[in-house]
């Protein structure tokens, strides 16, 4: 069992708010959608309700088990996969979402491998959105606007934008960042 499994089991995961982070633009094109670090699946399920073919990946088997149970309750066909998002081989997607994964990899290790893999998961023209806790949160960790801008540059990515948002957590609101970029065709 990893730390994430333990947090999901004992109910101390502060990101478990029962809905997707509101900063995301869920109005995306293309059928194939990937939710990286999907947790118990709130974002993936909402995207499936909107008619997308959704794959959700998380390293926590406990989270994936819960996500599958939620999907079954609603009879939604989401492909929930237990896996490490720094070493995926799942083909290409038209829209990719990361709700709180990159900031964890940056804090605990694996961010460079993940950033190197993302271009291979994104089809030409695909949109990638990342919600992260901001380094300005005072938590002692988090991402900066400069870090996100430097990670998504030409020639692989285009039209990158980063802006301040509010991240909702069970412990209260935290300052966050939303990064949006397009895989260069
Ligand atoms: C801050 S939580 C966010 C969960 C979910 N996206 C949400 O918004 O509720 C980060 C998630 O990333 C997952 N995670 C951490 N490292 C991972 C990795 N290497 N590969 C896949 N998932 C990972 C954790 O298990 C956890 O569910």
């Amino acid at each position: 069992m990893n730390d994430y499994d333990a947090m999901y089991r004992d109910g101390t995961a502060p990101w478990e708010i029962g809905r997707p982070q509101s900063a995301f633009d869920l109005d995306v094109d293309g059928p194939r959608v990937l939710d990286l670090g999907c947790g118990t699946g709130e974002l993936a399920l909402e995207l499936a309700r909107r008619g997308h073919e959704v794959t959700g990946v998380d390293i926590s088997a406990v989270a994936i088990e819960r996500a599958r149970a939620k999907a079954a309750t609603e009879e939604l066909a989401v492909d929930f996969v237990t896996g490490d998002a720094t070493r995926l081989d799942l083909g290409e997607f038209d829209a990719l979402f990361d709700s709180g994964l990159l900031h964890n990899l940056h804090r605990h290790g694996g961010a460079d491998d993940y950033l190197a893999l993302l271009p291979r998961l994104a089809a030409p023209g695909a949109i990638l959105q990342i919600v992260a806790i901001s380094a300005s949160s005072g938590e002692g960790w988090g991402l900066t606007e400069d870090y996100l801008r430097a990670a998504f540059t030409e020639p692989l990515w285009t039209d990158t934008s980063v802006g301040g948002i509010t991240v909702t957590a069970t412990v209260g609101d935290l300052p966050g960042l939303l990064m949006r970029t397009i895989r260069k065709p």
Side-chain angles (χ1 to χ4, degrees), residues 4 8 15-16 21 35-40 57-60 63 83-86 99-101 103-105:
Y4 295 104
Y8 282 113
W15 54 82
E16 278 279 276
Q21 291 294 331
D35 182 2
L36 293 143
C38 64
T40 65
V57 179
D58 202 283
I59 205 161
S60 165
D84 183 344
T86 67
S99 177
L101 174 60
H103 70 218
N104 272 296
L105 296 174

Side-chain angles (χ1 to χ4, degrees), residues 12-87:
T12 58
W15 54 82
E16 278 279 276
I17 58 169
R19 62 186 185 280
Q21 291 294 331
S22 59
F24 283 119
D25 177 3
L26 303 184
D27 190 14
V28 291
D29 293 328
R32 302 163 298 175
V33 176
L34 178 61
D35 182 2
L36 293 143
C38 64
T40 65
E42 292 297 336
L43 174 59
L45 291 164
E46 178 54 31
L47 291 160
R49 284 180 206 114
R50 292 167 182 245
H52 296 287
E53 296 165 14
V54 186
T55 299
V57 179
D58 202 283
I59 205 161
S60 165
V62 176
I64 290 297
E65 192 182 320
R66 289 195 187 158
R68 286 180 181 150
K70 288 182 190 176
T73 301
E74 286 192 58
E75 297 185 5
L76 287 169
V78 179
D79 188 15
F80 283 116
V81 179
T82 303
D84 183 344
T86 67
R87 341 156 164 232

Side-chain angles (χ1 to χ4, degrees), residues 89-147:
D89 187 10
L90 293 172
E92 290 185 339
F93 294 83
D94 305 302
L96 298 89
F97 291 84
D98 168 337
S99 177
L101 174 60
L102 178 58
H103 70 218
N104 272 296
L105 296 174
H106 183 257
R107 185 181 182 192
H108 300 296
D112 288 349
D113 288 342
Y114 178 63
L115 291 172
L117 179 66
L118 283 173
R120 275 183 273 143
L121 293 170
I127 182 167
L128 164 66
Q129 298 179 57
I130 296 179
V131 159
I133 300 296
S134 167
S136 71
S137 64
E139 297 289 304
W141 56 277
L143 303 184
T144 64
E145 194 170 326
D146 285 350
Y147 174 87

